[in-house]
Amino acid sequence: MSTTEESIMAPEHASAQGKGGSVAYFIDDRLASANFTKRLLDKVFPDHWSFMLGEIALYSFIVLLLSGTYLTLWFNPSMTEVIYNGSYVPLKGVKMSEAFSSTLTISFDVRGGLLIRQIHHWAALFFVAAVSVHLLRVFFTGAFRKPREINWVIGTLLLVLALLEGFSGYSLPDDLLSGTGLRIAQGIIQAIPLVGTYVSMFLFGGEFPGTSIMPRLYSIHILLIPGILLALITVHLIMVFYQKHTQFPGPGRTESNVVGFRLFPIYMAKAGGFFFVVFGITVLIAAFVTINPIWLYGPYTPSQVTAGSQPDWYIGFLDGAVRLMPNLETSLLGHTISWNIIVPALVVPGIMFTALGLYPWIEAWATGDKREHHLLDRPRNAPTRTGLGVMALTFYMILQVAGGNDVIAAAFNLSINSMTWTFRFLLFALPPVAFVITKRICLGLQRRDNDKLLHGYETGRVLRLPSGEFLEIHEPIGEVERAKILAKPDVIPMELPASVDANGVRNPKAAKSVMRAKLSQWFYSDVIPTPTDEELQEAANHAQHELHAAQSHIKEIASH
Amino acid sequence: MNELEHPTSEPYGSKEGKDLVSGITIFPMEPHVPRKSDIDPKAARRAERQVATMFATSSLMIILFVVAYVKIPNTTLITIPVIGTVNANHLATGFAFGMAILLIGIGAIHWAKKLMPDVEVTQERHALTSREEERQEVASSFQRGKAESGFAERKIIRRSLLGALALFPVPLIVLLRDLGPLPGTRLRETIWEKGMHLVTDATYRKIKASDVPLGGLINAVPENLLEIEHEEENLNQRGKASIIVVRMDPADIVSQQGENWDYQGILAFSKICTHLGCPTSLYQQRSHHLLCPCHQSTFDLSDSGNVVFGPAARRMPQLAITVDSEGYLIAQSGFDQPVGPSFWERG
Ligand code: HEM
Ligand code: FES
């Protein structure tokens, strides 16, 4: 057989490889994709439970798209007034918008409709929660460092969009609870200096509530934001894929490799299976735990309100900020500036999200670290970053808790007045304390790591020496743990520049670089060095002796 | 007594090498520990059966779902401890569907964990920066394009193009103009006016002064709201014109926003919170405090509606009232200031 004949025969060989082979050939004949596909199938993903957080966000998003599409089949985003005549008896004959009545229809007259609504709402809560916790994992492990800063920024955008998406969806049923939330949002928009009243009039098509807002929110909620989310998530994932995932330090893990499982079949089975797990759990929770029972709240009217009204959890921090802000307002040349509104509702979140998005550059600037990082930091090994993160988280949590101050006050019979003052105080006092404590804990953990390296771990077995002394037996730690601990990267704070150069001329840039160097030294302050080779060796010898002593002692006992 | 023996011949922390990039110590991969299902064919078969059972049960659950969907009427309610009274169709279909999905997931993961190889694989990372020559080439391609286009030299073209591009989005913004009316004086006005009857919020009944009990609170709206009962404007006006009417011992009134704006201890205030517009709802008759449920702003109605607590910056606007010849409450005039949340032009 000549070679030409062989190449003509090639497609036949394909069928010999089974179905998968022929599909691959079909596609490759049109896209020349074999090279890419092979790399795709063989691609290695590191395994760690915390890497599943981003996956949960992704899968919840898919569940949202699916369940949301079903909801659009019955939901009617109109504010036309109707008299309800469906099967939910307590509201029969009540005036309400079509948006509200179609939500009742979905809940009571469409079979499985309530299930879809509950799936959608639960998935939304999980989505925002997963995005937030995923962000924390990326932050505390330093995964945002070069070269992954772009993905961090995309992530920040995704978080903001997720909040907006959640809020716009929450408002759609036009029930008393969400309508109150929308009223507050309108009040905030109206308070924006200069353009507030115009933006509000344009957005609502006139005064609040008007009849335009629901259809407008609807297209924002089902088209605009999901479209942007989908596009950004796609880019986010392509970047993770292209840059390869980071990995935790451990045996065989270096800055220049990836250790884990191949996409096909293991990662695919695990990640694919995990999608079904997330989806399945969402459906089960939706079946068993009622969320947002709008029929109990009733339709929205601007003159009614439910007591103790609370937004969905992810808006809680804004609510808290608004509650804690002192009631400042200034009148200037016939204009009103409502500090009590724009500071907590616009300035504070604006600063929070900007700082979040810029953090990779802030840290790189402060540390002077411009290297690429593919090995993750264990949070304890970056005490200053971990401290800053916990500090920010504490600030956020206080706002979140303050958002429920009335509920807490009622539950514990406290005065709202003193609670508010307490929270105001804590908002500034607690974060620095959290920073210091966290940093201490990190350093303590590092010391314990060093201890483990030098003296092994405590077995809990105690020997009584002839002298009457007690000796706890230490065992050397395992290879994996040793590798993990010793992978602590060396930190190199920037050096203080000389204020005069070699020729004795004052360096005009010195002041600035001194500041930066100081910042870098602060960031890397309290370094706990890993034991040197010599120290490790010495400790090993010492352990050897101890062991022999113990052994001979045991032999002694045995011989008696 | 060999219990304490272990291979200490290898000193602690022996270094296998240094990572060239980070300088950190690297260790060889830990040896693979085979799983039970790797060495024991029985264990492997057991795992196989488990996975297949999960997948098969999933199919059964789908059948259960269809049966429940068709057979259980959507109106059947059942009471279950902890969960309460729920729609049986919802519960059964949700349970079956959820389990069906979950079992596929758990089955697949179990399969991967027990039966697919669990040896970790090492792959090299590729460089994320291009070679220097390639970067140079990009730069020179760009320079070539720039030169060919003449973008730098042809100043008139460049400037006029930049101008055109800067103006191009203008229509996109102008086109939004008809989203809504200009604010005008809308936020300053309510439909209250002189002589207008106060009527109850839900039933539009006129309120007789003698019917307002001491310590009581009545939610009220202007009578002419009934005229626009079924119009879009109704909710908009309701959002501004809603008031609360309270009666207190005239001796308790410390101050009012205007002289004789009460009628024998009956006071009328806007119901719309001056903070962000929630309808205030809780009135403590002993302290005369009105509380907004949204952010707990508290207004003292016996003292001009002043803010005593919370984030609201302005007192609750008071509506001056009196009675008509038959003793029904009427407004002395409209509000003398805008109600509801602040805005830039409010002054
Ligand atoms: C819509 C929301 C989001 C989705 C669906 C999503 C999805 C994912 C997935 C599936 C991964 C890979 C697995 C993992 O590391 O967990 C990932 C990685 C990453 N995400 Fe997200 N994410 C979202 C939001 C965010 C946010 C809010 C941030 C931070 C501000 C962020 C920053 C990152 C970074 C830097 C990586 C690379 C991590 C690494 O390689 O270690 N993402 N994302
Ligand atoms: S809206 Fe009343 S306190 Fe905020």
Side-chain angles (χ1 to χ4, degrees):
Chain A
M1 236 193 245
S2 77
T3 36
T4 28
E5 261 174 305
E6 233 174 54
S7 63
I8 291 168
M9 295 291 290
E12 255 66 44
H13 289 259
S15 53
Q17 286 204 2
K19 248 205 184 122
S22 69
V23 172
Y25 270 80
F26 176 87
I27 294 174
D28 190 66
D29 282 346
R30 283 145 190 92
L31 297 170
S33 58
N35 193 359
F36 174 75
T37 315
K38 161 144 176 51
R39 279 192 292 131
L40 181 71
L41 295 179
D42 288 349
K43 193 171 180 68
V44 167
F45 285 89
D47 214 13
H48 189 267
W49 65 265
S50 69
F51 300 165
M52 299 199 305
L53 295 165
E55 280 182 54
I56 300 181
L58 176 64
Y59 303 150
S60 308
F61 183 68
I62 297 172
V63 174
L64 282 171
L65 290 182
L66 263 173
S67 53
T69 306
Y70 272 85
L71 288 178
T72 62
L73 302 176
W74 292 282
F75 180 72
N76 178 358
S78 142
M79 286 176 102
T80 305
E81 209 171 81
V82 290
I83 305 288
Y84 180 68
N85 192 25
S87 35
Y88 184 64
V89 180
L91 288 177
K92 255 192 209 288
V94 173
K95 246 178 17 181
M96 58 181 65
S97 65
E98 282 188 326
F100 189 76
S101 90
S102 66
T103 312
L104 287 178
T105 304
I106 295 175
S107 306
F108 294 101
D109 297 285
V110 175
R111 271 179 292 175
L114 182 59
L115 185 63
I116 301 168
R117 264 198 66 224
Q118 306 279 282
I119 292 175
H120 196 69
H121 203 117
W122 275 115
L125 297 180
F126 292 154
F127 176 62
V128 188
V131 172
S132 312
V133 185
H134 167 59
L135 178 153
L136 293 180
R137 122 62 194 132
V138 171
F139 180 86
F140 285 112
T141 58
F144 56 81
R145 288 172 297 173
K146 191 181 171 190
R148 293 183 178 74
E149 305 96 324
I150 303 175
N151 237 7
W152 172 265
V153 174
I154 293 178
T156 311
L157 290 176
L158 285 172
L159 177 62
V160 176
L161 287 167
L163 297 181
L164 291 175
E165 176 71 353
F167 185 79
S168 62
Y170 176 78
S171 303
L172 286 175
D174 201 19
D175 58 280
L176 193 51
L177 198 54
S178 72
T180 305
L182 199 56
R183 167 82 235 213
I184 293 172
Q186 186 275 336
I188 293 171
I189 294 172
Q190 183 177 310
I192 301 173
L194 212 62
V195 294
T197 51
Y198 290 83
V199 175
S200 169
M201 289 289 159
F202 289 166
L203 185 63
F204 286 80
E207 282 184 82
F208 179 86
T211 51
S212 310
I213 188 65
M214 282 313 154
R216 289 178 187 174
L217 273 184
Y218 192 53
S219 61
I220 290 173
H221 180 75
I222 71 163
L223 180 70
L224 188 65
I225 302 183
I228 304 175
L229 275 172
L230 194 59
L232 287 178
I233 289 175
T234 310
V235 178
H236 196 69
L237 296 183
I238 291 176
M239 298 258 286
V240 172
F241 192 87
Y242 182 74
Q243 296 184 322
K244 292 202 164 91
H245 205 284
T246 51
Q247 60 190 352
F248 275 100
R253 276 84 169 158
T254 72
E255 284 286 4
S256 48
N257 72 6
V258 211
V259 181
F261 296 109
R262 291 205 184 88
L263 178 79
F264 188 69
I266 298 183
Y267 190 77
M268 216 149 129
K270 279 190 182 170
F274 193 51
F275 165 69
F276 284 94
V277 169
V278 171
F279 192 0
I281 289 177
T282 310
V283 175
L284 286 176
I285 291 179
F288 287 103
V289 193
T290 308
I291 184 99
N292 205 20
I294 47 109
W295 53 91
L296 297 181
Y297 311 146
Y300 180 66
T301 106
S303 54
Q304 278 175 21
V305 71
T306 51
S309 55
Q310 293 282 310
D312 266 354
W313 76 266
Y314 45 83
I315 303 294
F317 78 102
L318 278 177
D319 203 33
V322 166
R323 287 175 191 214
L324 292 191
M325 181 70 192
N327 57 351
L328 298 173
E329 185 176 278
T330 34
S331 233
L332 198 79
L333 307 170
H335 292 300
T336 303
I337 307 173
S338 309
W339 304 107
N340 57 341
I341 298 165
I342 55 177
V343 170
L346 300 168
V347 178
V348 169
I351 293 175
M352 279 167 67
F353 286 112
T354 310
L356 188 69
L358 294 181
Y359 186 79
W361 289 276
I362 298 176
E363 187 183 301
W365 187 81
T367 57
D369 182 355
K370 300 280 182 307
R371 292 171 301 174
E372 263 187 35
H373 294 277
H374 302 287
L375 276 181
L376 295 170
D377 275 333
R378 299 169 79 207
R380 68 186 62 175
N381 290 341
T384 305
R385 178 199 302 137
T386 306
L388 287 174
V390 174
M391 182 166 137
L393 201 57
T394 309
F395 184 82
Y396 173 88
M397 288 308 289
I398 293 171
L399 292 183
Q400 179 78 31
V401 175
N405 62 357
D406 53 331
V407 180
I408 301 172
F412 297 100
N413 216 353
L414 301 164
S415 102
I416 290 197
N417 193 339
S418 56
M419 293 247 326
T420 302
W421 277 103
T422 312
F423 282 130
R424 282 178 186 164
F425 170 75
L426 290 179
L427 190 65
F428 294 98
L430 218 48
V433 174
F435 174 80
V436 173
I437 294 180
T438 308
K439 210 173 152 186
R440 290 248 167 106
I441 293 177
C442 288
L443 295 173
L445 286 172
Q446 283 191 37
R447 280 193 204 100
R448 212 177 70 186
D449 280 347
N450 282 357
D451 256 16
K452 278 197 203 162
L453 275 184
L454 293 170
H455 312 303
Y457 69 93
E458 294 161 1
T459 55
R461 277 179 298 159
V462 178
L463 275 184
R464 203 174 148 203
L465 297 180
S467 57
E469 251 182 289
F470 288 95
L471 174 73
E472 178 160 17
I473 300 193
H474 287 235
E475 292 246 29
I477 52 172
E479 280 294 312
V480 176
E481 195 167 9
R482 187 143 58 104
K484 250 204 236 163
I485 297 175
L486 278 173
K488 186 164 95 182
D490 298 330
V491 293
I492 318 145
M494 273 184 272
E495 276 174 30
L496 282 176
S499 57
V500 285
D501 69 11
N503 303 324
V505 180
R506 264 186 66 85
N507 178 359
K509 287 199 188 126
K512 213 172 137 201
S513 6
V514 167
M515 201 187 87
R516 274 196 68 184
K518 287 216 169 120
L519 197 60
S520 148
Q521 287 177 353
W522 170 76
F523 200 91
Y524 287 140
S525 57
D526 311 316
V527 174
I528 295 181
T530 23
T532 60
D533 290 356
E534 292 73 43
E535 286 167 336
L536 287 171
Q537 186 65 51
E538 195 177 307
N541 295 340
H542 179 73
Q544 196 87 318
H545 284 143
E546 209 168 75
L547 196 69
H548 286 315
Q551 272 168 348
S552 51
H553 174 60
I554 288 169
K555 284 205 189 98
E556 231 171 81
I557 298 171
S559 65
H560 280 310
Chain B
M1 269 309 294
N2 262 354
E3 208 203 325
L4 290 168
E5 291 280 17
H6 47 75
T8 35
S9 51
E10 192 210 19
Y12 283 101
S14 68
K15 298 195 175 180
E16 310 297 331
K18 287 258 183 189
D19 188 322
L20 292 179
V21 186
S22 61
I24 64 167
T25 321
I26 53 164
F27 287 77
M29 291 277 291
E30 68 268 35
H32 175 243
V33 185
R35 295 161 297 184
K36 209 159 180 212
S37 50
D38 288 332
I39 36 183
D40 179 2
K42 259 205 228 138
R45 267 200 305 277
R46 195 176 333 121
E48 188 179 358
R49 268 200 311 277
Q50 285 164 346
V51 172
T53 310
M54 286 186 224
F55 289 161
T57 316
S58 171
S59 308
L60 286 179
M61 284 292 165
I62 293 295
I63 295 171
L64 181 66
F65 171 90
V66 176
V67 172
Y69 183 90
V70 177
K71 289 286 178 197
I72 306 176
N74 206 18
T75 44
T76 313
L77 297 178
I78 48 168
T79 305
I80 294 179
V82 184
I83 300 176
T85 302
V86 282
N87 177 334
N89 182 297
H90 164 74
L91 199 66
T93 52
F95 171 74
F97 190 32
M99 286 307 289
I101 304 171
L102 186 61
L103 283 167
I104 296 180
I106 299 179
I109 293 175
H110 196 58
W111 179 10
K113 285 208 159 161
K114 286 281 147 90
L115 296 169
M116 297 184 192
D118 74 333
V119 184
E120 288 194 295
V121 187
T122 304
Q123 221 167 44
E124 289 308 302
R125 287 181 188 277
H126 55 83
L128 286 172
T129 31
S130 313
R131 280 177 295 118
E132 193 50 38
E133 309 96 85
E134 287 168 331
R135 296 205 209 197
Q136 297 290 337
E137 279 163 26
V138 173
S140 60
S141 291
F142 181 75
Q143 288 305 335
R144 179 189 45 71
K146 201 171 142 196
E148 283 175 0
S149 71
F151 191 76
E153 291 83 52
R154 299 189 200 283
K155 276 200 189 125
I156 310 181
I157 293 191
R158 191 176 73 217
R159 287 185 187 158
S160 54
L161 174 65
L162 291 181
L165 288 180
L167 289 183
F168 146 77
V170 169
L172 303 184
I173 293 164
V174 171
L175 281 172
L176 296 177
R177 166 61 190 87
D178 278 349
L179 274 175
L182 296 178
T185 54
R186 264 169 248 269
L187 292 174
R188 304 184 161 275
E189 293 159 359
T190 69
I191 51 175
W192 282 107
E193 55 189 57
K194 186 178 163 129
M196 173 104 37
H197 280 105
L198 281 63
V199 296
T200 53
D201 176 38
T203 49
Y204 297 101
R205 259 182 322 177
K206 287 192 227 168
I207 302 165
K208 215 173 194 139
S210 51
D211 288 347
V212 184
L214 194 67
L217 174 144
I218 297 173
N219 289 304
V221 289
E223 164 181 45
N224 56 357
L225 197 61
L226 187 59
E227 292 161 23
I228 48 171
E229 162 82 348
H230 290 289
E231 284 168 42
E232 161 183 355
E233 269 295 289
N234 181 298
L235 284 188
N236 298 359
Q237 293 304 341
R238 193 174 269 273
K240 293 188 296 186
S242 290
I243 58 167
I244 50 165
V245 179
V246 294
R247 179 172 214 155
M248 58 186 78
D249 182 346
D252 286 351
I253 300 178
V254 181
S255 74
Q256 294 192 56
Q257 294 180 17
E259 221 171 303
N260 294 329
W261 279 16
D262 72 318
Y263 176 75
Q264 296 179 353
I266 303 177
L267 299 155
F269 284 94
S270 166
K271 187 181 168 68
I272 310 303
C273 187
T274 59
H275 180 226
L276 286 166
C278 283
T280 51
S281 60
L282 298 165
Y283 177 61
Q284 294 169 323
Q285 46 163 302
R286 265 219 259 120
S287 58
H288 312 301
H289 284 178
L290 179 69
L291 181 88
C292 175
C294 287
H295 315 101
Q296 288 80 47
S297 288
T298 310
F299 306 88
D300 186 349
L301 300 191
S302 64
D303 187 10
S304 302
N306 284 336
V307 180
V308 290
F309 176 74
R314 276 181 300 99
R315 62 187 186 180
M316 205 51 119
Q318 186 179 357
L319 185 73
I321 53 167
T322 179
V323 287
D324 67 4
S325 54
E326 294 163 62
Y328 288 107
L329 295 174
I330 55 169
Q332 286 186 29
S333 69
F335 279 105
D336 68 334
Q337 56 183 304
V339 300
S342 286
F343 48 96
W344 175 249
E345 299 89 343
R346 186 178 187 280

